[in-house]
């Protein structure tokens, strides 16, 4: 995504308390984390108190928000509020799993390509390029047709397996610049094994960068899975934010003016992803003193 | 450098915006593309039939021909009126059995093809003759029954059969499978193997309209001045153009209907019951019935078990399925009451006179979970998970499948709904690898014969490509009864009624398929530009209001179109 | 310079080759027989079915062994043919795609270019004016975090469904036949605006934020402080910062092309806009191998071309490479 600022990792590992001090004072970080944190708590706690089956037909169809149905009912008479909080949970799950898988793959590819170089680098570059160019959406649709139906795990795996290329590129670039540093050369001379060097010397020096990358991948995963759900390729029996939008669209919420069915899930996604991006920038400022002075 | 870049970018932008006009101008298979725009008050816009671009006008390519091919371009010998349950002589003036193996058809004498040639017995003889000369035509199985087709003068045809085949012949003559007449002078040049699949981009027909224009988005027809029905029956189309739109998704079509861009929509439009209010309401929307069920019934939706597989092979299990499902909940929750639950026999309302009330009272089923549980126990069901397959994207069926699965789970059947893509689902049914499916191939017909022919067809092939007996029931007794219908003359009503009663009884006892509800003949009219649409009101006509293949040209939709008046 | 281009071109060709092979292979992994799918709409007696099935299979060359089909594919490709479509039989695939690709290009090119330029400009301004920063920034965050389909639904609901300012769907009015007339062009434009706005707004947010952050970073670099200490006017410093910030943004542009195409797909679906994305869904539901292959090919070539263009622009914009750096790695 375009919000990836290619910051270099020139920070010397600042003392812990200094980081925390700036973290607490950074407005963006605080706001972003609050939004995401609040929604995460809602996702964990609220479904326990809402109706047990969000897909149950509980009331008259297409009711606007009222005291008995906080966010109204769907075309079928299901409780939108219950669907929203359960959908939040599922979207968070897919986001974390998908983002996590993408993160693991991206770091593996990025580190290897950046550290090893040579033929390995070229091959991995090729792989990255091919994946960047293939329309993954169409790929998913085809593979989805192969299986009788998809599940949350499948969706997370697919999202993870296709969202990593840009992160791998960025990690590779960082690894390249770090790998030429003296302390790495020293470790090599001492005969330390490659992966030990990567894990022990290189990675800790880009830890902030890695953290930021994970946050972006998490946000991306949520957005991508919402697209897949919207197109009807998500798990059919579950409730997710994207699927709510899909059903609302298919069942004429637009023309019937049942706005309470598709507006809340969209706002929820916007809030999570937006919160994550804001947190990302805030954290960037905390880690990089150079950025702190401006806003 | 900067200025040049800016200019280049601006040029690219302008070009990309105007590109669609250049690229699609001149596309399509129009023969006289002089029309550049359709005046709104002279055009009827329809939607809900086409899901792929119009590229084929061959009336033998069932399922592939563009909307309007049969009905606007090509016409059959008789029309069928399901509401009145009678036939309307069309290209033929009369048809009757002169002996158990000989059928006489008298034709109209003032019909011309759109290229000026007269319509004669030669065309009818050619069309019927294809059953014997071409194995690819949809009615090729008729060939084994026909011995000879003779032309008696210019306007009479006699068909001689090798053995009585009343029902198969009736299927060809009228009803939703009726075959339109083809121009011998044009089609005899086509090879027998290509006759059912070539695209026919310059169609020559007898119908009221001519092909005007086709592109990826729509097909347009222009009214012809030489239609025979104007003189013979006093029918005249009051619009100059009919444009049928290729569908996007159903919600897109609803938006178009509400804005008045579409006059007749045959899409399933969820929530339509909330928006319908007659001509006086702000949307000007109307449906056939002013209240539930709003729509005429179009076909019976079956819960179809794969009888060749356990546990569906057990009759008590199938009966348990029948008692477990609540079609009224499906009708109200999923369809907002624009469908109605089916009669236990599954026969459509137009065949109500054939339903034996005694049989239904004795053996009919209804929603009863307690009874379902008892039957389930009697069947010895061990708890195996069974899947219910519904095509992905058929949103109403997907929702209905969830309701059904909920009902099945409530009585103790481990069921799960799956949503494969349409072709995979058809393949699973054809190959017999499914457990449960929803099937609505049982469309309207003039007698119940087609319904039972579909259920009991034998022999069972490895691949049931004809989509008959998809549930694979092996019942030679019932099949023999169905075949007897084919050899019993249509005039022996008592004998026929007795056979139907037996079939209804056997079907309820063995439950090869479970009729749930009648899917609607979805039809929503916007009355802003055109009025006098079909409706149940006594002052309106009761013709069929759908443009679907099998309805437009074979039922009375063409009469409905001729009855339209402008709204001004 | 030449070596740099040679390496780039080699990479592109290799990627093209691998991608095209995958493109050919993956649709064939789809379950089911596409001819059976085509005939699924028909309800045929077994004899008619068998006869039709074999004639269609021959027409589509599907009876050949796989390696033969692969070679035939490349051969036809080099002759500019992508086969016959099943979805719109008997139209050739190239015709079907042609009609659709112009619509998608009409959306993507203006939306991407304009949102990129506008986003960069606004982001740069926001980086130096605090007032603008405080309004533009949250708004841009909201935009870039918005799922495309949701914004499309909102715009369709508000501007088309409720306010009736724009048409709610389609590529052009049903009442018009595609011709070169002002009425038709106007109809095209009216139907184009909402999908364009969707893609533009989401893209704009992202570029604005990206540019703003990059400029802030650049303004704090050593050379910027040095210039300031020399007494250079602020405008000059900002100009250099802008030039330096453009480079990573360009790289970002190349990387985000896949996302933009994905966004175009869902937007086209909401608006029923007859572009490539919408066509993909039709092809999938008809199990039309050839149409799918053709569309993927277009997308792959398009993205590769776009990458190439971005590389060239990068080269022209980055003075280091212009002066003859070899590019690539150590």
């Amino acid at each position: 995504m375009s919000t990836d600022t290619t910051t270099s990792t020139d920070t010397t590992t600042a003392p812990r308390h200094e980081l925390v001090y700036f973290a607490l004072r950074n407005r963006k970080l605080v706001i972003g984390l609050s939004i995401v944190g609040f929604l995460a708590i809602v996702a964990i706690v609220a479904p326990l108190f809402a109706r047990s089956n969000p897909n149950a037909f509980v009331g008259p169809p297409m009711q606007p928000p009222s005291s008995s149905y906080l966010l109204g009912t769907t075309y079928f008479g299901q409780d939108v509020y219950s669907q929203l909080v359960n959908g939040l949970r599922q979207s968070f799950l897919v986001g974390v799993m998908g983002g996590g898988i993408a993160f693991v793959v991206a770091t593996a590819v990025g580190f290897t390509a950046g550290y090893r170089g040579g033929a390995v680098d070229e091959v991995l570059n090729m792989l990255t390029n091919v994946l960047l160019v293939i329309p993954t959406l169409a790929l998913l649709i085809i593979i989805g047709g192969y299986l009788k139906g998809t599940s949350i795990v499948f969706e997370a795996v697919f999202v993870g397996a296709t969202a990593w290329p840009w992160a791998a590129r960025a990690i590779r670039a960082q690894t390249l610049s770090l790998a030429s540093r003296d302390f790495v050369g020293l470790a090599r001379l001492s005969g330390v094994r490659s992966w030990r060097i990567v894990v022990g010397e290189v990675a800790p020096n880009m830890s902030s960068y890695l953290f930021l990358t994970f946050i972006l991948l998490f946000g991306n995963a949520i957005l991508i899975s919402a697209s897949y759900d919207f197109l009807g390729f998500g798990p059919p029996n579950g409730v997710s934010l994207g699927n709510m939008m899909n059903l609302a669209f298919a069942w004429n919420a637009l023309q019937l003016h049942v706005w309470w069915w598709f507006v809340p899930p969209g706002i929820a996604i916007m809030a999570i992803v937006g919160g994550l991006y804001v947190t990302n920038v805030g954290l960037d400022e905390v880690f990089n003193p150079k950025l702190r002075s401006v806003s | 450098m900067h200025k040049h870049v800016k200019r280049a970018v601006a040029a690219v932008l302008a070009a990309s915006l105007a590109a669609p006009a250049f690229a699609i101008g001149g596309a399509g298979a129009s023969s006289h593309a002089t029309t550049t725009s359709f005046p709104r008050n002279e055009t009827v816009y329809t939607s809900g039939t086409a899901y792929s671009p119009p590229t084929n006008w061959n009336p033998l390519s069932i399922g592939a021909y563009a909307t309007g091919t049969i009905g606007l371009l090509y016409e059959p010998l008789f029309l069928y009126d399901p509401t009145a349950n009678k036939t309307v002589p069309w290209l033929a003036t009369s048809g009757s059995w002169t002996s158990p193996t000989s059928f006489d058809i008298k034709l109209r004498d003032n019909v011309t093809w759109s290229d000026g040639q007269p319509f004669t017995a030669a065309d009818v003889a050619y069309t019927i003759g294809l059953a014997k000369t071409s194995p690819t035509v949809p009615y090729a199985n008729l060939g084994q029954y026909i011995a000879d087709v003779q032309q008696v003068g210019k306007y009479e045809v006699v068909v001689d059969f090798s053995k009585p085949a009343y029902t198969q012949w009736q299927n060809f003559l009228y009803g939703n499978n009726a075959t339109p007449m083809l121009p011998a002078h044009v089609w005899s040049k086509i090879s027998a193997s290509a006759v059912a699949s070539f695209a026919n981009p310059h169609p020559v027909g007898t119908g009221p309209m001519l092909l005007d224009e086709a592109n990826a988005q729509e097909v347009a027809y222009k009214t012809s001045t030489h239609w025979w029905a104007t003189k013979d029956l006093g029918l005249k189309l009051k619009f100059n153009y009919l444009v049928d739109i290729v569908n996007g998704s159903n919600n897109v079509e609803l938006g178009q209907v509400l804005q008045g861009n579409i006059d007749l929509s045959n899409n399933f439009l969820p929530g339509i019951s909330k928006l319908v209010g007659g001509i006086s309401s702000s949307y000007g929307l109307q449906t056939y019935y002013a209240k539930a069920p709003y729509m005429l019934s179009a076909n019976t939706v079956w819960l179809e078990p794969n009888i060749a597989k356990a546990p569906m092979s057990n009759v008590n299990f199938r009966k348990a399925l029948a008692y477990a499902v609540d079609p009224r909940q499906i009708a109200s929750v999923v369809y907002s009451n624009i469908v109605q639950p089916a009669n236990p026999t599954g026969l459509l309302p137009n065949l109500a006179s054939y339903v034996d009330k005694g049989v239904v009272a004795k053996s009919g089923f209804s929603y009863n979970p307690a009874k379902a549980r008892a039957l389930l126990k009697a069947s010895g069901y061990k708890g195996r998970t069974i899947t219910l397959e519904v095509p992905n994207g058929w949103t109403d069926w997907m929702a209905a499948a969830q309701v059904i699965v909920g009902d099945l789970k409530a009585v103790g059947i481990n069921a799960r709904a799956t949503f494969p893509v349409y072709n995979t689902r058809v393949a699973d049914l054809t190959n017999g690898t499914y457990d449960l499916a929803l099937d609505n191939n049982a469309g309207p017909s003039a007698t119940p014969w087609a319904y039972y022919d579909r259920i009991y067809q034998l022999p069972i092939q490895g691949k049931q490509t004809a989509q008959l007996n998809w549930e694979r029931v092996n019942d030679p007794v019932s099949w023999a009864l169905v075949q007897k219908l084919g050899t019993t003359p249509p005039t022996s009503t008592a004998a026929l009624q007795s056979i139907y009663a037996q079939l209804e009884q056997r079907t309820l006892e063995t439950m090869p398929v479970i009729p749930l509800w009648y899917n609607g003949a979805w039809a929503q009219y916007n009355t802003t530009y055109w009025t006098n649409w079909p409706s149940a009101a006594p002052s309106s006509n009761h013709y069929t209001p759908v443009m679907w293949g099998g309805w437009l040209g074979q039922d009375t939709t063409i009469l409905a179109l001729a009855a339209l008046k402008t709204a001004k | 310079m030449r070596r740099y281009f040679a390496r780039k071109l080699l990479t592109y060709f290799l990627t093209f080759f691998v991608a095209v092979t995958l493109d050919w292979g993956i649709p064939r992994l789809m379950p089911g027989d596409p001819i059976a799918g085509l005939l699924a709409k028909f309800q045929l007696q077994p004899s008619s079915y068998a006869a039709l099935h074999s004639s269609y299979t021959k027409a589509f060359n599907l009876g050949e062994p796989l390696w033969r089909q692969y070679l035939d594919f490349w051969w036809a490709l080099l002759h500019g043919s992508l086969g016959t479509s099943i979805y719109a039989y008997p139209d050739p695939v190239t015709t079907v795609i042609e009609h659709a690709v112009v619509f998608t290009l009409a959306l993507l090119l203006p939306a991407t270019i304009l949102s990129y330029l506008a986003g960069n400009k606004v982001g740069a301004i926001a980086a130096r004016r605090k007032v603008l920063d405080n309004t533009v920034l949250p708004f841009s965050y909201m935009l870039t975090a918005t799922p495309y389909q949701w914004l499309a639904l909102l715009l369709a609901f508000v501007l088309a469904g409720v306010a009736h300012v724009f048409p709610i769907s389609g590529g052009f009015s049903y009442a018009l036949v595609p011709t070169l007339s002002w009425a038709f062009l106007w109809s095209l434009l009216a139907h184009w605006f909402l999908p364009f706005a969707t893609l533009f707004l989401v893209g704009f947010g992202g570029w604005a934020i990206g540019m703003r952050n990059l400029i802030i970073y650049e303004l704090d670099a050593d050379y910027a402080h040095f210039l300031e200490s020399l007494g250079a006017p602020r405008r000059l410093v900002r100009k250099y910062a802008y030039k330096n910030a453009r480079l990573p943004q360009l790289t970002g542009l190349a990387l985000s092309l896949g996302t933009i195409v994905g966004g175009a797909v869902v937007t086209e679906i909401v608006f029923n806009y007859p572009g490539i994305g919408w066509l993909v869904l039709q092809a999938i539901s008809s199990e039309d191998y050839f149409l799918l292959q053709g569309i993927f090919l277009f997308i792959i070539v398009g993205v590769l071309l776009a990458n190439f263009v971005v590389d060239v622009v990068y080269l022209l914009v980055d003075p280091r490479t212009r002066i003859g750096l070899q590019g690539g790695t150590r």
Side-chain angles (χ1 to χ4, degrees), chain B residues 408-440:
Chain B
L408 294 181
K409 282 197 183 136
V411 300
I413 300 177
N414 287 334
R416 196 168 61 95
T418 63
F419 307 116
V421 259
Y422 177 73
N423 291 339
T424 308
R425 170 253 187 194
V426 170
D428 286 343
L429 279 153
T430 304
N431 299 334
T433 53
Y434 71 105
D435 289 334
L436 294 176
L438 288 181
D439 175 8
N440 72 333

Side-chain angles (χ1 to χ4, degrees), chain B residues 43-377:
Chain B
T43 315
V44 171
Y45 287 97
T46 62
S47 76
T49 310
Y51 284 91
S52 60
T55 52
N56 177 318
W57 287 269
N58 182 339
L60 298 180
S61 300
I62 300 182
Y65 58 68
T67 316
T69 300
I70 304 184
L72 302 178
L73 299 179
Y74 293 92
E75 303 176 294
L77 293 169
F78 296 89
L79 295 183
Y80 173 63
D81 184 340
T83 337
N85 197 10
K86 64 184 211 313
T87 58
V88 178
W90 205 240
L91 286 184
T93 53
S94 71
S96 55
W97 291 98
T98 50
S99 84
T101 52
S102 178
F103 192 87
D104 178 82
I105 311 173
K106 292 200 175 48
L107 308 169
R108 285 187 199 279
D109 57 9
N110 61 340
V111 182
T112 48
W113 295 99
S114 55
D115 61 359
Q117 300 291 321
F119 165 73
T120 64
D123 303 307
V124 178
Y126 168 77
T127 309
I128 301 176
L130 281 177
K132 291 185 92 74
T133 55
S134 171
T136 55
V137 296
Y139 52 95
N141 66 327
L142 203 56
Q144 56 181 304
Y145 299 103
I146 296 183
D148 188 28
V149 184
Q150 302 166 42
Q151 302 176 39
V152 178
K154 268 182 94 178
Y155 301 111
E156 193 175 343
V157 173
V158 172
V159 185
D160 291 313
F161 293 83
S162 51
K163 39 192 167 158
Y166 298 108
T167 45
Q168 290 84 342
W169 177 241
Q170 170 206 301
N171 206 32
F172 171 87
L173 264 194
Y174 58 88
N176 285 47
N177 288 328
T179 306
M181 294 299 114
L182 306 166
H185 61 280
V186 174
W187 284 58
S188 50
K189 304 193 186 98
I190 316 278
S191 77
S193 55
V195 129
S197 51
F198 82 104
N200 196 24
H202 304 289
V204 171
T206 57
M209 302 192 90
L210 306 165
L211 177 61
D212 186 57
E213 172 70 44
N215 58 50
Q217 183 169 269
E218 60 198 24
V219 60
Y221 297 97
K222 198 171 144 88
T223 306
S224 149
T225 43
H226 300 302
W227 195 31
W228 56 269
T230 310
K231 193 148 158 252
D232 279 24
L233 302 173
L235 296 172
K236 191 164 161 15
L237 301 181
K238 287 158 210 81
F239 46 87
N240 286 335
Y241 300 98
L242 188 141
V243 178
D244 182 73
I245 316 281
V246 176
N247 295 293
S249 37
N250 289 336
N251 46 76
V252 163
E253 304 309 319
L254 176 57
Q256 297 288 359
V257 171
L258 292 177
Q259 292 196 337
N261 292 333
I262 293 184
D263 300 302
L264 169 65
S265 161
N266 295 128
N267 302 82
F268 166 62
L269 299 178
I272 193 67
S273 45
K274 302 264 175 294
L275 299 168
V276 160
I279 301 176
S280 54
S281 90
S282 56
Y283 285 120
L285 286 186
Q286 209 190 327
T287 48
Y288 189 87
Y289 294 108
K291 5 189 256 286
Y294 297 96
M295 313 285 169
L296 285 168
S297 296
N299 44 61
T300 312
V301 179
W302 289 335
L303 177 60
E304 195 163 62
N306 185 348
I307 300 185
K309 245 187 179 189
M312 283 70 63
S313 45
N314 182 304
V315 64
N316 283 327
F317 184 79
R318 298 199 293 274
K319 285 188 172 165
L321 292 174
Y323 283 93
V325 179
D326 185 7
R328 271 169 318 163
Q329 192 191 25
I330 297 177
S332 76
V333 168
V334 176
Y335 288 96
S336 297
N337 291 318
I338 59 175
V339 300
Q340 37 178 348
N343 179 293
T345 60
L347 294 173
L348 283 168
N350 69 314
L351 297 174
S353 57
Y354 290 93
V355 174
D356 188 315
K357 297 204 175 43
V359 166
V360 174
K362 178 165 155 244
S363 315
F365 65 90
S366 60
Y367 176 57
N368 190 333
K371 195 145 181 211
R373 278 192 212 99
L375 283 161
L376 190 63
K377 202 144 168 234

